[in-house]
């Protein structure tokens, strides 16, 4: 992993997809897979796949292909999903609940250990066994727990304020669900889920097919 | 628009971002913007921006920059958001409700005109003034309305079946929220929102910063 810094964004974005396919292969008790088979499933060229995976070390064997279990474990290690991540969820509305209920997120080692909202009627209720706390509990909770990620599912107009607050409390990874770009110090890592961007791309493709 | 086929995926994916920035500029009554200013806001080079926008015609003027209103309208036309799209939402759970409540989607001309679920207790209730219907209403509804997009927010294990059903009824645009890849005829356009992929990329960046 000494050369991990040169891995491009495009490769990183493909790793979860590899993991999804490998999970399916494991489920079906497939022991090995060739880069040709993987490439057909993923819609990439075999050489692209060999190149992608070579960024992280030597996984394949000429004429044998990839050992599914080994490659699965290796990608989990690269992504850090083997160790897991602690998440706090801020905003217990529909999007927050959808995330909290997501098996595909939980299965990858992302644990929601705290949920926060300002709505009095939600505070004290539980979502998947995690109690909803008020915003005044945010700072002590972040201080007393190792938080890797804050998922921001608050209304758009609250997002900037909440983001700046959790960053000031020490959280450095943000998962932002609002349709806005956050301006934060360079050491803060933000991953955006812009649903409106996604559906606009779909709309474009429908109009231009 | 005669050369629209050569526009790359990367450019298309950036168009909604341009639209977001231009919306902000319009809100602040900014009349024109240079490619340099736009580039600073978007974290792209000025020449990248000139190149992106030149795919769609001549928008800029040397020494003047871009007319915000004109560029905003032009990108809306390119994305088709000026005409709007009709959506049916299948699955009235938390994710479905989050989409239905999203202002940023509605504002871009995406209209949810039908909502479907199998849960008896949901059928007949209303979400943002749209009545939830049972699955037996799907086929006639699609027949009697021009549906551009079906948003699939059903549980993962139901997604394949529901996707194949709506495609057989004539829907050709799918917005898929399950953590699975759909295999459908090539004329069907699928845009995926894989939340677990997004958070795994964030996890990787946190581990490797």
């Amino acid at each position: 992993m000494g050369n991990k810094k040169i891995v491009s964004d495009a490769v990183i974005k493909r790793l979860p997809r590899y993991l999804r396919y490998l999970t399916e292969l494991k489920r079906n008790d497939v022991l090995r897979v060739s880069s040709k088979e993987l490439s057909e499933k993923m819609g990439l060229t075999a050489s692209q796949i060999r190149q992608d995976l070579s960024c992280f070390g030597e996984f394949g064997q000429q004429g044998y292909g990839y050992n599914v279990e080994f490659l699965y474990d290796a990608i989990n290690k690269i992504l850090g999903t083997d160790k897991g991540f602690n998440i706090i969820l801020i905003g217990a509305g529909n999007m927050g609940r959808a995330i909290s209920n997501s098996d595909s997120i939980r299965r990858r080692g992302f644990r929601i250990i705290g949920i926060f909202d300002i709505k009095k009627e939600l505070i004290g209720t539980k979502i998947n066994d995690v109690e909803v706390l008020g915003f005044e509990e945010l700072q002590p909770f972040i201080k007393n727990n190792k938080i890797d990620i804050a998922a921001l599912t608050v209304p758009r107009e609250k997002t900037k304020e909440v983001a700046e607050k959790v960053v000031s409390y020490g959280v450095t990874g943000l998962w932002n669900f609002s349709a806005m770009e956050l301006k934060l110090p360079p050491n803060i890592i933000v991953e955006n889920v812009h649903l409106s961007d996604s559906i606009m791309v779909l709309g474009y493709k429908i109009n231009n097919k």
Side-chain angles (χ1 to χ4, degrees), chain A residues 135-164:
Chain A
F135 274 22
E136 69 283 1
E137 307 282 349
L138 255 178
Q139 185 162 24
F141 193 91
I142 292 169
K143 202 179 157 198
N144 295 326
N145 295 276
K146 184 191 161 288
I147 305 301
D148 301 296
I149 294 166
L152 308 181
T153 53
V154 293
R156 185 183 191 282
E157 62 277 11
K158 294 281 178 202
T159 304
K160 183 172 178 287
E161 180 193 331
V162 170
E164 286 167 358

Side-chain angles (χ1 to χ4, degrees), chain A residues 161-174:
Chain A
E161 180 193 331
V162 170
E164 286 167 358
K165 194 177 271 186
V166 296
V167 164
S168 77
Y169 298 160
V171 175
T172 58
L174 297 182

Side-chain angles (χ1 to χ4, degrees), chain A residues 83-190:
Chain A
K83 290 177 303 181
F85 295 87
N86 287 338
I87 303 181
I88 54 171
L89 186 64
I90 307 180
N94 290 308
M95 184 58 82
R97 281 161 200 269
I99 292 170
S100 168
N101 289 332
S102 166
D103 278 336
S104 63
I105 292 170
R106 202 184 346 262
R107 222 175 23 232
R108 299 306 180 195
F110 294 89
R111 295 173 295 261
I112 294 173
I113 65 166
I115 303 180
F116 300 84
D117 206 291
I118 47 165
K119 289 215 181 89
K120 286 230 162 49
E121 64 270 28
L122 292 178
I123 295 169
T125 63
K126 287 192 170 187
I127 300 175
N128 292 316
D129 284 335
V130 179
E131 193 183 343
V132 180
L133 303 173
F135 274 22
E136 69 283 1
E137 307 282 349
L138 255 178
Q139 185 162 24
F141 193 91
I142 292 169
K143 202 179 157 198
N144 295 326
N145 295 276
K146 184 191 161 288
I147 305 301
D148 301 296
I149 294 166
L152 308 181
T153 53
V154 293
R156 185 183 191 282
E157 62 277 11
K158 294 281 178 202
T159 304
K160 183 172 178 287
E161 180 193 331
V162 170
E164 286 167 358
K165 194 177 271 186
V166 296
V167 164
S168 77
Y169 298 160
V171 175
T172 58
L174 297 182
W175 200 23
N176 169 34
F177 280 78
S178 80
M180 74 186 301
E181 225 81 11
L182 294 166
K183 277 168 220 155
L184 295 163
N187 65 315
I188 307 302
I189 299 178
V190 182

Side-chain angles (χ1 to χ4, degrees), chain A residues 46-63:
Chain A
S47 93
Q48 179 70 72
I49 285 187
R50 282 191 295 268
Q51 210 179 315
D52 278 3
L53 299 180
S54 73
C55 294
F56 302 101
E58 286 299 322
F59 293 125
Q61 233 176 303
Q62 194 93 47

